[in-house]
Amino acid sequence: MLDDELLSTHLQELRRGTVVLACLLVLKQPNYGYALLDLLDRSGFAVDANTLYPLLRRLEKQRLLTSDWNTEESRPRKFYRTSDLGAALADALSRDWDELDTALRTLKGGS
């Protein structure tokens, strides 16, 4: 029987890189952290806030995201958006994802 801890560890590894791609794709439309957490969760990419916020800062530092503060509401929110560089990376990662998906389907015996 598959150990829950072993499964959890490998699922975490599998999802780690996919969250970057998911963020770059979703943030083609500006959004703020909490709303992004909710959107990712509803899309099947459950991410912990303690993982997402450092990731957003890292992607911004790498110039893959841009950000702007919206201070028009009572609570200021930092809105993130995929930069041109981030969109190019998302396109490249998406192509690779599609190739990996095809390869895995072949390995599993499907097409």
Side-chain angles (χ1 to χ4, degrees):
M1 176 150 174
L2 189 58
D3 180 288
D4 287 344
E5 185 176 335
L6 179 66
L7 177 61
S8 177
T9 298
H10 285 279
L11 285 174
Q12 184 178 15
E13 285 183 35
L14 182 63
R15 290 176 177 260
R16 187 170 287 135
T18 60
V19 172
V20 170
L21 177 55
C23 286
L24 292 174
L25 292 172
V26 168
L27 290 172
K28 288 183 179 183
Q29 299 296 318
N31 218 333
Y32 60 97
Y34 184 79
L36 180 59
L37 273 172
D38 184 54
L39 179 60
L40 289 171
D41 186 53
R42 286 186 285 120
S43 300
F45 279 90
V47 181
D48 187 79
N50 292 327
T51 299
L52 182 66
Y53 289 108
L55 173 65
L56 293 173
R57 288 191 293 274
R58 179 172 60 86
L59 295 176
E60 184 178 23
K61 186 175 182 179
Q62 294 172 333
R63 299 176 315 150
L64 300 171
L65 296 177
T66 59
S67 67
D68 291 300
W69 281 98
N70 179 342
T71 57
E72 295 173 5
E73 297 181 25
S74 61
R75 183 173 184 180
R77 291 185 172 143
K78 189 173 188 179
F79 278 75
Y80 292 92
R81 183 181 193 126
T82 303
S83 67
D84 290 343
L85 181 62
L89 179 62
D91 289 344
L93 293 176
S94 291
R95 282 191 303 275
D96 194 60
W97 178 271
D98 291 340
E99 291 171 10
L100 288 170
D101 181 57
T102 299
L104 287 170
R105 288 178 188 276
T106 299
L107 290 172
K108 291 187 331 185
S111 52

